Amino acid sequence: MKLNDADKAMPDGAEGPAVAAAMDLLVRYGQALDAEVLCDVRNVAGTMTQPSPAKAHLVQEGGWQKAYAVLNLDSDGDFTIPDMKVPTCQLQQSFGPDAEGVAPYPKELVALQSDAEAFYSRKGVNILATCTPYQVGNIPVRGEHLARMESSAVVYANSVVGARTNCEGTASTGAASLTGRIPCWGNHRTENRIGTHHVDVRTPVAGPLDWGMLGYFAGGLVQEERPVVTGALAQPDLLDLKHFGAAAASSGGAEIYHLPGITPEAPSLEATFGGRRIPEAVPYGERERRAVYEDLNSQGTSPDVDFVLLGCPHASLDQVRDTAWLLEGRRLNTGTQLWLMVPRALRTTADRNGWTQTIERAGGRVLTDSCPAMSRSAPPGTKVFATDSAKQAHYLPAILGIEAWCGTLADCIDAAVTGIWKGDLR
């Protein structure tokens, strides 16, 4: 790799042993990727605070300094971790104190995570604790290079904002936080951001469920490549694109997509393919729409719903408001629980608007920081859950061994109130 003078000085200890270990990791990582250079990053989103038995052992052995060295720098060194060199935030983590008595999650892990938050915030980590940092103030600008984990946060940054990041890991983001550098490969390079597949939408797409299903179709089609989607698309909002990107990153590994005339790097269909020949369009019509819906609901057999999960990726304020409106004056079925997962920063606004109180009066809970997939925790005895998220319908049955139904927010609220799944594609 071609390193600049500052890069070369770091492994030699110019900024201390932790930074030396971080740069050593980045050089090895870049060489494995055949990257020629490193690029500057000033926005890192990673994971440091979420607890685990392995992390508890490392903390017992050498404190959070040791845990960061091993897990975030791939190093066995015993050294002090300096302050983060560039702005860094914590993504979603495990359940916190507001889930005690609600989610069956060990209290000792809640305490360990709270201790981690105190340590890392002193090191300059912004504890946003959400998979949607763009909803709570971490909004990069077009063309800015990032080092970011979490597939749905990555695809949103690349596609909707036009920033540049690959889907990084715990160690690479840990090293980037201390150096402000990351290998310049993949989505950091313009030639790797142009479209590879053309999806022609021939049935109306409007609303989060339809955008999620379209994303699920596009991700399954392209896998780790880059879809360009045109056709019968209503103007999307943040919620629609949040669901589209999360679903595309779940059924495949899409990290960037283009919607000509909507996303910033897609002024036209021709521009999204970088002047190359536009490939033959793959149709997405009513038959494909129905097939995706049936696929997402193929893991549900019993109509008896005992758990409703909303907010994946973490719910927007519009989702919290709409949930409250749909639950106004109603009560959950006695055998059904409802959890709405939100960023803690948005919970404060939901409280102020009275939406949290409305949801809780109905018997639901508004929880922060995590989700059942991340914490591997659902209400005890859960057998069948319903969700408005294609991502959770894709992952949670495999993680927790439960059945899944996927539909609109209204379908899910109806299931929470009646205990019966009645959803169908309209």
Side-chain angles (χ1 to χ4, degrees), residues 33-252:
L33 296 167
D34 202 25
E36 294 184 358
V37 296
L38 301 173
C39 58
D40 286 327
V41 293
R42 56 178 184 176
N43 187 317
V44 179
T47 59
M48 291 140 281
T49 61
Q50 74 283 13
S52 68
K55 190 170 288 186
H57 176 76
L58 288 168
V59 172
Q60 186 176 26
E61 180 184 330
W64 288 107
Q65 313 273 4
K66 183 69 173 181
Y68 193 94
V70 173
L71 299 176
N72 295 89
L73 297 178
D74 187 34
S75 173
D76 290 328
D78 291 316
F79 39 66
T80 298
I81 304 300
D83 292 349
M84 303 295 108
K85 188 172 187 177
V86 295
T88 298
C89 76
Q90 164 70 36
L91 292 163
Q92 76 273 28
Q93 50 187 25
S94 295
F95 282 123
D98 66 354
E100 289 192 43
V102 180
Y105 192 73
K107 289 185 177 181
E108 61 270 20
L109 293 185
V110 174
L112 183 66
Q113 181 168 274
S114 296
D115 189 50
E117 289 183 9
F119 173 82
Y120 284 111
S121 63
R122 291 195 299 270
K123 295 295 181 181
V125 177
N126 190 359
I127 312 295
L128 295 181
T130 177
C131 53
T132 58
Y134 51 87
Q135 291 195 126
V136 292
N138 187 328
I139 306 173
V141 299
R142 181 177 177 180
E144 181 180 7
H145 294 275
L146 320 175
R148 181 163 285 190
M149 295 177 64
E150 167 49 38
S151 60
S152 62
V154 166
V155 73
Y156 193 95
N158 279 321
S159 309
V160 181
V161 180
R164 300 188 171 207
T165 182
N166 298 305
C167 198
E168 297 290 350
T170 301
S172 58
T173 52
S177 294
L178 297 185
T179 63
R181 303 285 275 169
I182 201 74
C184 189
W185 72 289
N187 296 314
H188 292 285
R189 301 181 66 86
T190 300
E191 65 269 23
N192 296 327
R193 298 174 66 84
I194 62 175
T196 58
H197 296 69
H198 180 200
V199 177
D200 180 23
V201 178
R202 300 176 183 178
T203 188
V205 171
L209 176 63
D210 263 316
W211 277 97
M213 291 195 300
L214 176 58
Y216 202 78
F217 174 84
L221 172 70
V222 307
Q223 291 301 299
E224 296 183 354
E225 296 192 285
R226 302 173 290 279
V228 178
V229 183
T230 61
L233 305 172
Q235 175 65 43
D237 60 15
L238 180 152
L239 176 56
D240 296 328
L241 297 181
K242 180 162 68 80
H243 275 268
F244 178 90
S250 300
S251 59

Side-chain angles (χ1 to χ4, degrees), residues 346-362:
L346 297 190
R347 164 70 191 254
T348 301
T349 303
D351 292 349
R352 175 172 286 179
N353 282 296
W355 301 330
T356 304
Q357 295 89 325
T358 299
I359 293 167
E360 291 181 343
R361 277 197 303 269

Side-chain angles (χ1 to χ4, degrees), residues 387-411:
T387 182
D388 62 347
S389 166
K391 181 176 182 178
Q392 284 287 14
H394 179 85
Y395 285 123
L396 206 57
I399 293 173
L400 295 182
I402 57 181
E403 295 183 21
W405 294 109
C406 183
T408 65
L409 176 61
D411 290 335

Side-chain angles (χ1 to χ4, degrees), residues 321-389:
R321 176 202 62 202
D322 292 348
T323 299
W325 286 355
L326 287 168
L327 284 172
E328 183 70 55
R330 306 170 80 182
R331 287 287 303 174
L332 301 191
N333 175 61
T334 55
T336 307
Q337 292 198 44
L338 180 149
W339 294 356
L340 176 61
M341 315 306 304
V342 301
R344 195 181 301 191
L346 297 190
R347 164 70 191 254
T348 301
T349 303
D351 292 349
R352 175 172 286 179
N353 282 296
W355 301 330
T356 304
Q357 295 89 325
T358 299
I359 293 167
E360 291 181 343
R361 277 197 303 269
R365 299 302 295 256
V366 179
L367 301 177
T368 64
D369 297 350
S370 191
C371 70
M374 188 72 178
S375 292
R376 288 169 166 73
S377 177
T382 295
K383 295 180 179 178
V384 182
F385 89 106
T387 182
D388 62 347
S389 166

Side-chain angles (χ1 to χ4, degrees), residues 253-312:
E255 295 181 0
I256 184 172
Y257 61 84
H258 300 291
L259 304 176
I262 296 174
T263 53
E265 295 178 51
S268 67
L269 176 62
E270 294 74 17
T272 62
F273 289 101
R276 300 178 183 176
R277 181 184 66 84
I278 299 173
E280 181 178 355
V282 176
Y284 178 81
E286 190 53 39
R287 182 180 65 179
E288 290 77 16
R289 177 174 178 261
R290 168 61 66 174
V292 171
Y293 183 83
E294 292 177 352
D295 185 18
L296 289 171
N297 285 282
S298 63
Q299 299 177 87
T301 57
S302 171
D304 299 322
V305 174
D306 43 32
F307 177 40
V308 173
L309 172 63
L310 304 173
C312 177

